Amino acid sequence: MGGAGGGGLGSVGGGGLLDIYAIAWEHLRPGSSPVDWCEGNYLISSNIAEFVNTFSNFLFILLPPVLMMLFKEYGRFVTPGIHVIWLLLIVVGLSSMYFHATLSLIGQLLDELAILWVFMAAFSLFYPKRYYPKFVKNDRKTFSWLMLLSAIAATALSWWKPVVNAFVLMFMGVPTMLMLYRELQRVSDQRVYRLGIRCTTVWAVAVFCWINDRMFCEAWSSINFPYLHGFWHIFIFIAAYTVLVLFAYFYVESELPQRQPLLKYWPKNEFEFGIPFISIRNPDTKDWLNYCRLYLQQDHDYKHGLSKISGD
């Protein structure tokens, strides 16, 4: 009886395993996503479904390493979590490239879930406490746990109706921009205010591109320009990293005002269309001394090495 039961379980298990493989392949199969953007498929390359939509993600790959460098001081003296967000933006770019290259369901879900986790990570780090629900009791750790559980639940639900995921993510951008508007009313630094206005404008242009590509594809195709989703990638990255910079500033200003945040631009601070980042004017004294001592020692070792080489 036990042997018969084992044989039945083995056969069912084998069939079940084949079913799992079949389902997995169906999700990995090119074209398995219910979402297809306006750009024609396989027109430029026989291996890449949407060529322009794939490679228009280049900013997601190229800029985050620069932001990690610029926010090195911020990560040390405010929160190292900022670097997690820059890494997640790279994941968004890679996932989006995979999705648009294959139009597979798994690619779509990876793309959308990466965006979701950027939202949740940013909310955990920078969501202003004045907007917390009452039951959180003004505790960021509790709110972070709430965001983590929400992200896990949303990740599970994303498999239910994949076709609506993008609309949900777009809706999440609206309260974020409304919150940005309210925060800009409180800010005294005009450079920060101007960056907020530019960020909102770029976001609006990005949304215009997304909606037109999704809803009015025939009209844009009739004038041979089905590439608005590619422009969406460029504009939404600029808006996304800019709004992250702004909320990184608001966080220090409201919760760590003694650090004295300062908005700067790279490569030239006077040029306000460069890459914005947050400098910390007054780090914790002990940490700052250790930081300076470390780099002074490295500089001394470097110069000592050079003098020894030249002496030899």
Side-chain angles (χ1 to χ4, degrees):
M1 189 171 175
L9 186 61
S11 61
V12 171
L17 191 61
L18 290 174
D19 290 341
I20 291 172
Y21 286 147
I23 293 171
W25 168 246
E26 180 59 27
H27 291 165
L28 288 166
R29 180 178 56 81
S32 56
S33 169
V35 177
D36 190 3
W37 296 95
C38 193
E39 182 184 356
N41 298 339
Y42 300 104
L43 296 182
I44 298 177
S45 169
S46 59
N47 298 313
I48 299 173
E50 296 174 347
F51 191 89
V52 173
N53 287 348
T54 297
F55 289 100
S56 57
N57 287 287
F58 66 96
L59 287 178
F60 285 91
I61 312 300
L62 298 180
L63 258 294
V66 177
L67 292 166
M68 289 177 194
M69 176 192 70
L70 295 175
F71 276 81
K72 187 176 181 179
E73 185 181 88
Y74 190 98
R76 182 174 180 83
F77 298 116
V78 179
T79 172
I82 188 73
H83 298 310
V84 174
I85 295 181
W86 305 139
L87 282 173
L88 284 173
L89 287 180
I90 295 176
V91 175
V92 170
L94 293 174
S95 300
S96 183
M97 290 182 73
Y98 175 66
F99 166 51
H100 288 290
T102 64
L103 293 179
S104 63
L105 178 59
I106 194 67
Q108 176 198 336
L109 293 173
L110 286 173
D111 182 14
E112 292 163 348
L113 290 175
I115 297 170
L116 170 70
W117 281 86
V118 169
F119 266 111
M120 294 308 182
F123 286 167
S124 296
L125 288 176
F126 300 132
Y127 199 91
K129 287 185 176 180
R130 65 180 65 91
Y131 305 124
Y132 278 8
K134 290 183 179 180
F135 68 87
V136 173
K137 298 180 179 178
N138 221 33
D139 181 56
R140 187 165 295 278
K141 186 175 181 180
T142 302
F143 185 77
S144 296
W145 276 107
L146 176 64
M147 291 297 98
L148 176 62
L149 294 174
S150 299
I152 293 171
T155 298
L157 288 172
S158 67
W159 293 82
W160 179 44
K161 290 284 185 181
V163 73
V164 305
N165 292 345
F167 292 95
V168 173
L169 290 171
M170 285 293 295
F171 175 77
M172 289 177 69
V174 175
T176 301
M177 299 311 292
L178 289 175
M179 189 162 54
L180 172 63
Y181 171 78
R182 294 183 65 178
E183 291 300 299
L184 288 174
Q185 307 312 302
R186 305 166 58 90
V187 77
S188 57
D189 189 328
Q190 287 303 301
R191 293 188 101 198
V192 175
Y193 184 83
R194 289 194 296 270
L195 180 62
I197 296 300
R198 291 196 296 272
C199 173
T200 305
T201 303
V202 173
W203 176 78
V205 172
V207 172
F208 171 85
C209 291
W210 191 92
I211 291 174
N212 274 267
D213 190 272
R214 189 72 179 247
M215 304 295 185
F216 305 107
C217 177
E218 288 187 10
W220 288 96
S221 295
S222 67
I223 59 173
N224 297 317
F225 196 78
Y227 304 117
L228 284 178
H229 193 75
F231 282 90
W232 148 264
H233 287 155
I234 295 169
F235 289 126
I236 200 59
F237 175 82
I238 295 171
Y241 95 83
T242 304
V243 81
L244 287 167
V245 170
L246 286 163
F247 276 97
Y249 175 90
F250 299 146
Y251 171 76
V252 181
E253 189 182 49
S254 62
E255 298 191 29
L256 298 167
Q258 70 277 12
R259 294 287 193 265
Q260 298 179 18
L262 181 67
L263 174 65
K264 289 186 176 181
Y265 290 89
W266 183 85
K268 190 173 183 179
N269 190 37
E270 293 75 21
F271 182 64
E272 292 195 10
F273 289 91
I275 300 175
F277 68 100
I278 306 303
S279 175
I280 304 301
R281 285 180 287 183
N282 185 33
D284 178 78
T285 305
K286 184 178 178 181
D287 281 349
W288 179 246
L289 288 174
N290 290 336
Y291 185 71
C292 290
R293 192 178 297 116
L294 172 65
Y295 280 89
L296 285 171
Q297 181 62 42
Q298 288 180 349
D299 185 56
H300 174 269
D301 293 344
Y302 175 73
K303 290 178 179 177
H304 180 69
L306 285 180
S307 63
K308 187 175 180 180
I309 291 170
S310 60
D312 293 343

